[in-house]
Amino acid sequence: MNAEAKKPSVANKLAATRMAGRLVNEYWEMVWRAKEEGKLVCWYEGSAINPFLEAADIVWVHGEAYSAMLAARHQEGPAQQAAEDRGYMKELCSYARTHLGCAVSNQRNRNDADTGLTGIPSDDDIASKLPPPDMIISAYAYCSTGQQWDEMTSRLFGKKIPIFNVSIPWIWASKKDAGYIRGQEWEETSAYVARQLHDMVKFIEERTGKPYPWDRLRELMTNVKRASELRLEAMDMCTATPAPASFFDWVVSIAPINQLPCTTDIVDYFTAVRDEVAERVKNGVGAVPREKYRLFFDGIMNWNKVGWLAEKFARYDAAVVAGRYTHMAFWQEPGLIDASDPVMGMGQNYLICPNNHSSPILIDLIMDLCGKYEVDGMVIHASRTCRAFTNPQFLIADAASKRLGIQTTMFEGDVVDESFYKDELVNSRVEAMLEAIDARRMSAA
Amino acid sequence: MDSAQILSRFADVASQPLAYAKAWKDRTGGAVIGSFPMNFPGELAHAAGALPLIIQESEEAITVGHGLLFPFYCGFTRSTVDQAAKGDFAVLDAIMFGDHCVQLLGAADAVRVAIPETRVIFFQLISSMCDPWTLGRARETFLALKDELEEFLERPIEDEALRASIRVFNANRTLIRRLYEMRTAGTAALTAAEMQHIVKSSMVMDKAEHTALLEQLLAVIEANPPAAPRGVRLHLSGHFCQAPKPEILSMIEDCGAVVVGDDLFHGFRYISTDVNETGDPLDGLAEWYLARNTGVPCPTRVQNDVDWDAFLIDAMRKESADGMIVLMAKFCEPHMYYYPEVKEAFERHGMPHLLIETEHESMALEGLKTRVETFLEIVKRRQDAGALAPQASRGRTLT
Ligand code: SF4
Ligand code: SF4
């Protein structure tokens, strides 16, 4: 344990986010009870297709979320080891590796049960508690790794579990009319994805043996849309100085928007978040007590490091005000969702994952965010095994320095494999960037 | 030309693909259309009178490319970006692709920024291979690529011209497949590096010119059948977008192996499947796209009803191969995903294999050599012990 962790907390986290912890725990308890309750279980990664499943009373397990949960609880080790034992190499997406490790443990337990050995995971063994799937749906935007992960999961279970693939093409945006959520490519791709989602619903009907409850989906999407609007409203208020909430608060708020049951609880959650943010703005309270720097965070989260990084930046008096991961994903365009006929808008939101637009559009969006939140610098987390996020990072860094004239710094880490993370490097790189910001300010003064 | 001269011509083109393209362009005045591997049908560009060229990993050290792509990417993508940033792709009029490996997408984005004056045409090919709409979507994709190519080259690609190009490509593939059969049968003593040069140069050269050389080569070999090479019969597997370094292939053979088959992209994967020569040519190309993954399954696609591991075991039986060396390009995610399936299947069937990870940067061949020698020893000992029948307990994996 390092000395920093023992000091009292400096980061002024939103109190409302505590509710997320409770909701998340309740959700996982529901997942772990699924088989006892005779529920069908669907494994999926990537796009938030959970409302489609929830409406049909299918328990949904998002692979990344499971891996992130294990890492956040520092319990990812056994699953990663199980994956490694089967030959999954360390350079593979660590989300996938961790989740596949859960599948390996699951299979092992099942085989042990067949042979009368043990077969029953202990309550502490969260990796093994993941209920096996009755179906797999793959709907991964941009990253080929997501689709292959699902395929390998299906193979791990002996190809006995029905799998459905939704192809979500990358928006290459080379045509003259191309732009963010506009142009012929956007329209055609949206229609292509929506068509497949309708077929996915047929697949779900085949699994449940019941007509699809469209009314229920409309109801859930009404909640999602409202929760998303509230979330964006609260995010917008963080243009204030000091910023009332940080990137790390938004990281904690990913589960409520992306994966928790789409009941009114998520609306209540984001209402509380929005209200607290508004209150802070009114009182001039910041997420960092002495906000001296405002930073943008590019890259996916280090799930084993969320609280720790929040604390680290707070101690540097640096408010991380926005990020690609949090501010460009997760039902990011509620305006596209028509709750009375939600499929097209859902598909379009899947198309706007923070990587699924090629660099011309992506970089414009990031530069706009940096301008909007008036950042002084950009911290780039080069996640070793998530190349979907690292792909455009040199281009982003270049644009940030050339177009905005802001400082950037990079550090290597990973989504859920802590071994790729080097603390000293983060310290020295961030410190060097903050010093450069200071020097620039002095010379400007 | 004798066979040595023909093979040397293939080797030259394989090692200097862009120089070949430059010379071709100077000679013909035609357009050169580069493509990223592995599924863009060169027939489309050929039918438009252009030279289709599959972009190759360069032997050069990566320098400027370091500022565009991280070092934890496969050698192909890093080298491609590096070549673009160095201006090596000036000879290419456009680049086309439809594949979507996540690293390739990153490379494509960087290439477009590095060479803004070169058109990069993309339309994503469906990689989920057994959906009811896969065939239709593949056709739509090839149609979209064709439309954009027509617009770019300012000339239509007529169906008849496309059918003619398909015939030219099929003829070339057929001849290379013939060489593959002869190599397996021991009637064409081609080394693994020579075979690579043949296939790799076919990805670059004007197809008719390549075919004419192949015909000569076949005639020479058939007129003077060489003695069948002796050694441990091996299948080489893996290595997708980039060609394994010839020195690795030679080292493996120098250790006492004879390569009798492969499923490398710079090998059998590239020429495995022909396109229907009659009917609608876009239908033919879409069917080809599906058929080649059923024929030689690729881990970059997802297809629940075919198994790469089963294909490999079957291929080895047909080739009477005694062992398999898996060549894995470092950081190649599709390969890393599938490898445990292959490993387990080989262990279950008692078939030995050795995994070698390759890198763009120069590799310590000495250390590798020891591993290969040990592996071949084990294979030989199994043979001596008469352990030819598959027995689960005898499966050996060396890593
Ligand atoms: S590499 Fe990144 S985007 Fe791709 S599956 Fe893994 S976490 Fe998702
Ligand atoms: S399939 Fe493998 S070799 Fe090809 S681009 Fe992707 S990672 Fe590189």
Side-chain angles (χ1 to χ4, degrees):
Chain A
M1 208 187 222
N2 62 55
E4 238 175 273
K6 287 187 197 141
K7 294 180 200 161
S9 171
V10 171
N12 185 20
K13 287 187 278 186
L14 287 177
T17 56
R18 269 186 233 128
M19 199 200 296
R22 178 177 60 77
L23 294 173
V24 167
N25 286 341
E26 285 171 6
Y27 161 74
W28 289 122
E29 291 295 337
M30 173 193 82
V31 167
W32 293 327
R33 282 196 314 271
K35 293 284 162 175
E36 275 164 43
E37 293 177 354
K39 297 260 176 77
L40 289 173
V41 173
C42 177
W43 285 15
Y44 70 108
E45 313 359 301
S47 306
I49 55 162
N50 47 307
F52 281 109
L53 301 164
E54 185 180 351
D57 208 19
I58 295 167
V59 171
W60 61 100
V61 182
H62 190 240
E64 295 95 319
Y66 210 81
S67 300
M69 179 269 289
L70 287 173
R73 298 181 185 199
H74 302 288
Q75 293 197 33
E76 72 280 21
Q80 290 177 2
Q81 188 58 51
E84 197 179 326
D85 292 347
R86 197 188 176 233
Y88 295 109
M89 298 178 172
K90 207 172 159 56
E91 291 292 345
L92 272 176
C93 163
S94 59
Y95 264 158
R97 243 190 305 134
T98 309
H99 188 236
L100 285 165
C102 294
V104 171
S105 309
N106 202 290
Q107 284 293 77
R108 204 186 280 152
N109 287 331
R110 184 184 289 191
N111 293 341
D112 287 352
D114 290 348
T115 55
L117 289 170
T118 113
I120 301 161
S122 84
D123 262 4
D124 302 337
D125 181 5
I126 306 181
S128 297
K129 270 168 77 176
L130 171 59
D134 299 293
M135 69 193 84
I136 299 169
I137 296 180
S138 182
Y140 221 107
Y142 186 64
C143 184
S144 55
T145 277
Q147 195 180 54
Q148 282 157 349
W149 164 8
D150 290 314
E151 173 75 9
M152 289 306 131
T153 305
S154 144
R155 286 174 184 270
L156 251 171
F157 284 98
K159 297 201 291 186
K160 293 188 189 111
I161 291 156
I163 179 165
F164 187 90
N165 279 290
V166 180
S167 300
I168 304 182
W170 190 29
I171 305 289
W172 175 240
S174 66
K175 298 269 169 60
K176 282 196 185 71
D177 68 346
Y180 179 61
I181 57 176
R182 66 180 158 80
Q184 189 192 351
E185 184 184 10
W186 166 255
E187 298 297 335
E188 284 175 2
T189 313
S190 300
Y192 174 54
V193 172
R195 262 198 324 270
Q196 294 177 77
L197 291 176
H198 280 288
D199 282 309
M200 181 185 84
V201 166
K202 287 186 207 139
F203 171 81
I204 291 173
E205 285 179 323
E206 283 163 21
R207 307 276 80 72
T208 60
K210 293 181 195 155
Y212 191 75
W214 287 103
D215 280 347
R216 179 90 181 107
L217 180 69
R218 290 183 197 111
E219 204 181 297
L220 298 177
M221 287 313 295
T222 304
N223 294 335
V224 168
K225 181 170 172 151
R226 184 66 196 128
S228 165
E229 287 163 350
L230 289 161
R231 174 175 173 265
L232 295 179
E233 193 185 331
M235 281 177 158
D236 274 351
M237 286 189 244
C238 295
T239 51
T241 308
S246 82
F247 169 76
F248 301 101
D249 291 308
W250 302 122
V251 165
V252 175
S253 301
I254 289 174
I257 193 69
N258 193 49
Q259 162 215 354
L260 293 188
C262 307
T263 62
T264 47
D265 280 354
I266 61 170
V267 177
D268 294 346
Y269 174 81
F270 284 106
T271 304
V273 167
R274 192 265 325 259
D275 291 348
E276 188 180 353
V277 167
E279 188 65 20
R280 282 188 173 193
V281 174
K282 199 167 85 193
N283 300 326
V285 175
V288 166
R290 298 174 303 270
E291 179 181 301
K292 192 171 165 200
Y293 313 97
R294 293 169 72 89
L295 304 176
F296 183 88
F297 192 98
D298 188 79
I300 198 165
M301 196 55 231
N302 285 72
W303 283 103
N304 5 39
K305 297 279 173 193
V306 183
W308 198 81
L309 280 173
E311 200 52 30
K312 181 183 285 289
F313 283 101
R315 287 180 190 281
Y316 284 128
D317 300 331
V320 182
V321 286
R324 170 154 55 121
Y325 189 44
T326 46
H327 287 62
M328 291 169 63
F330 311 117
W331 302 115
Q332 195 62 21
E333 291 292 347
L336 294 173
I337 299 167
D338 171 359
S340 65
D341 184 11
V343 174
M344 173 64 89
M346 293 172 81
Q348 289 182 320
N349 270 274
Y350 303 156
L351 277 163
I352 323 168
C353 112
N355 307 314
N356 203 45
H357 285 92
S358 63
S359 62
I361 296 178
L362 185 76
I363 290 173
D364 282 351
L365 292 172
I366 293 175
M367 297 304 112
D368 287 351
L369 278 175
C370 289
K372 174 174 164 182
Y373 288 95
E374 297 182 275
V375 303
D376 310 298
M378 182 183 284
V379 182
I380 297 173
H381 168 217
S383 49
R384 173 73 175 227
T385 68
C386 178
R387 290 156 183 103
F389 262 94
T390 53
N391 269 348
Q393 285 184 323
F394 283 106
L395 305 178
I396 293 168
D398 190 54
S401 85
K402 286 200 183 124
R403 288 204 222 164
L404 307 177
I406 60 171
Q407 300 292 324
T408 65
T409 192
M410 270 187 198
F411 72 92
E412 203 176 292
D414 191 51
V415 259
V416 289
D417 188 338
E418 206 173 353
S419 65
F420 288 118
Y421 179 87
K422 304 239 173 353
D423 191 23
E424 324 76 64
L425 264 186
V426 184
N427 288 341
S428 59
R429 300 241 168 109
V430 173
E431 280 163 21
M433 180 177 75
L434 299 180
E435 276 167 25
I437 294 172
D438 285 340
R440 176 175 291 219
R441 282 180 181 163
M442 297 235 310
S443 62
Chain B
M1 283 205 262
D2 63 20
S3 60
Q5 287 169 318
I6 299 168
L7 289 169
S8 146
R9 174 73 179 137
F10 287 148
D12 287 347
V13 174
S15 70
Q16 299 291 334
L18 296 169
Y20 173 87
K22 172 84 174 50
W24 181 90
K25 193 174 200 165
D26 291 346
R27 194 170 74 240
T28 64
V32 180
I33 306 294
S35 72
F36 291 141
M38 296 185 279
N39 292 291
F40 174 73
E43 287 91 333
L44 287 175
H46 185 269
L51 176 72
L53 173 146
I54 297 179
I55 291 171
Q56 304 291 331
E57 182 185 24
S58 148
E59 285 159 31
E60 270 190 49
I62 288 158
T63 53
V64 262
H66 283 311
L68 284 163
L69 223 49
F70 288 92
F72 44 84
Y73 281 57
C74 73
F76 175 76
T77 48
R78 285 189 299 128
S79 169
T80 299
V81 168
D82 187 61
Q83 291 177 71
K86 284 173 177 160
D88 296 352
F89 290 159
V91 66
L92 305 178
D93 293 280
I95 296 174
M96 307 198 66
F97 73 117
D99 273 302
H100 87 305
C101 167
V102 66
Q103 297 185 35
L104 190 67
L105 296 190
D109 232 352
V111 165
R112 179 166 55 171
V113 170
I115 45 172
E117 67 288 352
T118 304
R119 176 90 152 256
V120 185
I121 300 169
F122 171 73
F123 199 97
Q124 188 164 320
L125 256 174
I126 183 165
S127 50
S128 170
M129 302 302 278
C130 39
D131 294 331
W133 52 87
T134 305
L135 184 67
R137 182 64 180 177
R139 192 189 185 284
E140 270 171 49
T141 303
F142 291 142
L143 175 62
L145 289 168
K146 173 176 164 279
D147 285 349
E148 198 165 340
L149 193 58
E150 287 175 326
E151 179 248 308
F152 175 73
L153 292 171
E154 296 176 341
R155 56 175 289 181
I157 300 172
E158 307 289 356
D159 280 1
E160 203 34 65
L162 190 47
R163 269 191 288 269
S165 296
I166 287 170
R167 284 194 295 275
V168 170
F169 276 54
N170 280 349
N172 189 265
R173 286 186 278 249
T174 305
L175 291 176
I176 301 179
R177 282 201 303 272
R178 172 94 190 100
L179 283 173
Y180 262 84
E181 283 163 17
M182 290 165 70
R183 179 171 76 163
T184 305
T187 53
L190 291 165
T191 66
E194 285 167 345
M195 203 54 130
Q196 180 189 104
H197 295 147
I198 292 169
V199 176
K200 190 174 170 190
S201 58
S202 162
M203 296 174 172
V204 172
M205 276 174 100
D206 171 69
K207 278 283 191 275
E209 187 185 349
H210 194 266
T211 296
L213 288 170
L214 277 178
E215 281 166 347
Q216 283 185 50
L217 180 68
L218 268 158
V220 176
I221 296 175
E222 277 166 345
N224 306 292
R230 296 168 64 88
V232 176
R233 293 172 70 87
L234 282 191
H235 179 97
L236 293 184
S237 174
H239 242 260
F240 305 124
C241 306
Q242 57 210 306
K245 286 185 199 304
E247 29 312 2
I248 293 181
L249 303 179
S250 304
M251 178 273 288
I252 290 171
E253 288 167 324
D254 290 346
C255 292
V258 179
V259 175
V260 291
D262 70 58
D263 61 296
L264 308 169
F265 177 58
H266 287 76
F268 192 71
R269 188 178 294 287
Y270 178 63
I271 47 93
S272 70
T273 311
D274 286 339
V275 184
N276 191 347
E277 295 179 5
T278 55
D280 173 65
L282 285 178
D283 281 350
L285 289 175
E287 285 157 9
W288 162 83
Y289 172 61
L290 270 69
R292 77 201 278 257
N293 202 62
T294 305
V296 187
C298 178
T300 62
R301 319 283 98 186
V302 298
Q303 186 167 355
N304 222 239
D305 59 4
V306 298
D307 305 311
W308 189 30
D309 40 320
F311 161 83
L312 289 171
I313 287 167
D314 189 46
M316 283 184 57
R317 293 209 168 117
K318 286 185 186 142
E319 293 156 5
S320 305
D322 305 313
M324 172 172 81
I325 291 190
V326 174
L327 296 168
M328 181 188 281
K330 192 162 183 186
F331 304 117
C332 177
E333 287 170 274
H335 201 171
M336 287 191 279
Y337 265 120
Y338 214 111
Y339 174 66
E341 302 288 321
V342 172
K343 177 172 160 273
E344 280 190 0
F346 271 62
E347 284 169 357
R348 252 192 335 267
H349 286 82
M351 295 168 92
H353 82 281
L354 170 74
L355 170 68
I356 294 181
E357 257 192 310
T358 69
E359 294 186 45
H360 174 81
E361 287 70 23
S362 64
M363 297 172 61
L365 279 187
E366 271 312 303
L368 274 184
K369 193 163 172 244
T370 314
R371 290 176 53 214
V372 172
E373 282 167 349
T374 311
F375 172 67
L376 296 181
E377 263 318 304
I378 289 169
V379 177
K380 264 192 270 179
R381 248 185 276 139
R382 277 167 43 88
Q383 284 173 315
D384 294 346
L388 291 172
Q391 289 178 37
S393 60
R394 290 184 191 272
R396 283 299 296 268
T397 300
L398 293 181
T399 51

